[in-house]
Amino acid sequence: MLWTTYVSPSDGQQHPAVLAEGCLHGLRTATRLIDLLGDDGELLARAGEQALADPLDVLAETDADVLAPIPVPPSVRDFYAYETHVKTYREANGQGMDPDWYELPVFYFQNPAAIRPARADIPMPPGSVKFDYELEFAAVIGRPGENLTPEEAAGHIAGYVLLCDWSARDLQARETRHGMGPVKGKDTATSLGPWQVTPDELASRPRGKAFDLEMRASVNGRLYSKGNAGDLYWSFGQMISYASRGTRVQTGDVIGSGTVGTGCILELSTVHSGEEFPWLQPGDEVTLEADVLGAINARITEPQPLHPLT
């Protein structure tokens, strides 16, 4: 099933919904998709049957006020799991791969309060002039666990979503020089959705350590990025296992894959040129999409004011 969260015109409240035949079928009995998780998927399956049999609303997908599937996740961890992306960028800067990358599936924490729907405008971060998208997808944790093996961790996935990690590259570069961050380089916005796709929907599309899903990104109608979700070096089972090492993953946590090869302007402009692949500016229209997972359509808008600290 393909799930999301929408604002119902019937009661003005958020509700989970199932997508079927181009229409959202709203669930009457819950206001949060995260409340349908927490087990092996049986609760979500029963809720889907209920939504289809007796929907609160039936709305054309294009007319619905669709939010992120999990509008405020407990946490968002974003990994760095596509070797092609990492290797291409490092080689373009005269660097080889760090051997530790093949030992540690590293990640950083994003800002759960910055989650944006797949169709929401995205503001430039205050003080940034080098704004970028990152073409990714993510797993949503379906039930909690701690210190999981990779095999156990794979069984804790409730579904997969398209993710865009919007990045202020100039701020990111300044912050990481201090051995911290990325902080303000990353936390203005993260687009998520439009659908949370249950694992059974992707079972017929295996490739490598993930799925055979073509992924694309365009700016103002021009194709920038093209990759495949199946090119992951680290599987989601491995990433979740590492995330849970010595701690706990919670129901609704989002586990990002990192950028697919060619999946950001930083990589493209470094390999080619900044003239050919310029940074995003207010007014740009950005589309990121993947087979089955759907599309993120975002218009870049002006930043909020930059308030001096001194």
Side-chain angles (χ1 to χ4, degrees):
M1 290 182 174
L2 277 65
W3 283 91
T4 194
T5 299
Y6 78 111
V7 178
S8 169
S10 298
D11 63 10
Q13 302 297 312
Q14 295 182 17
H15 288 269
V18 174
L19 178 69
E21 298 181 353
C23 291
L24 291 187
H25 295 70
L27 183 66
R28 295 180 182 275
T29 56
T31 58
R32 302 196 311 167
L33 181 56
I34 195 172
D35 294 333
L36 305 178
L37 309 180
D39 65 358
D40 61 357
E42 182 62 25
L43 180 61
L44 190 65
R46 291 201 307 269
E49 294 171 358
Q50 183 179 2
L52 293 172
D54 182 28
L56 172 64
D57 304 292
V58 178
L59 302 171
E61 177 264 319
T62 53
D63 297 335
D65 184 4
V66 175
L67 307 178
I70 308 289
V72 185
S75 73
V76 183
R77 296 171 176 87
D78 202 8
F79 282 76
Y80 198 37
Y82 282 101
E83 183 183 23
T84 302
H85 167 66
V86 180
K87 189 175 183 180
T88 301
Y89 177 72
R90 290 181 68 90
E91 287 181 349
N93 284 282
Q95 301 173 310
M97 288 292 286
D98 187 324
D100 246 2
W101 187 87
Y102 297 99
E103 301 294 329
L104 300 174
V106 294
F107 68 90
Y108 69 95
F109 282 98
Q110 289 189 351
N111 180 4
I115 295 296
R116 300 294 182 102
R119 300 167 187 165
D121 292 348
I122 301 298
M124 294 273 292
S128 175
V129 295
K130 294 184 177 180
F131 197 41
D132 198 359
Y133 66 83
E134 292 195 23
L135 177 60
E136 311 185 22
F137 79 122
V140 177
I141 299 296
R143 54 194 172 97
E146 58 184 87
N147 213 43
L148 301 167
T149 67
E151 293 74 24
E152 291 170 337
H156 285 246
I157 297 172
Y160 298 91
V161 295
L162 190 62
L163 183 150
C164 181
D165 169 26
W166 301 96
S167 303
R169 298 303 190 184
D170 40 3
L171 304 183
Q172 179 185 357
R174 293 177 65 189
E175 290 169 339
T176 54
R177 285 202 300 268
H178 300 279
M180 297 286 285
V183 188
K184 287 300 169 186
K186 293 284 189 175
D187 74 352
T188 293
T190 300
S191 296
L192 198 65
W195 318 119
Q196 178 177 308
V197 179
T198 54
D200 58 297
E201 291 281 348
L202 303 177
S204 64
R205 307 176 70 117
R207 173 169 165 165
K209 294 183 177 180
F211 310 103
D212 185 12
L213 305 175
E214 289 295 324
M215 303 177 70
R216 299 164 293 278
S218 61
V219 178
N220 299 325
R222 178 191 163 205
L223 181 66
Y224 269 43
S225 303
K226 187 175 181 180
N228 193 287
D231 293 338
L232 280 174
Y233 181 86
W234 294 102
S235 71
F236 276 104
Q238 291 170 313
M239 288 186 270
I240 295 167
S241 174
Y242 188 65
S244 74
R245 183 179 290 179
T247 185
R248 189 172 181 82
V249 291
Q250 299 284 13
T251 301
D253 282 352
V254 173
I255 306 293
S257 65
T259 309
V260 71
T262 79
C264 67
I265 295 173
L266 177 65
E267 180 184 337
L268 293 166
S269 63
T270 302
V271 173
H272 303 284
S273 72
E275 290 74 25
E276 188 174 356
F277 294 98
W279 302 111
L280 300 175
Q281 298 180 17
D284 283 343
E285 301 280 348
V286 183
T287 298
L288 302 98
E289 55 189 335
D291 297 343
V292 185
L293 301 180
I296 291 169
N297 297 287
R299 182 173 62 92
I300 309 303
T301 61
E302 296 286 346
Q304 293 181 316
L306 177 65
H307 299 302
L309 302 180
T310 59

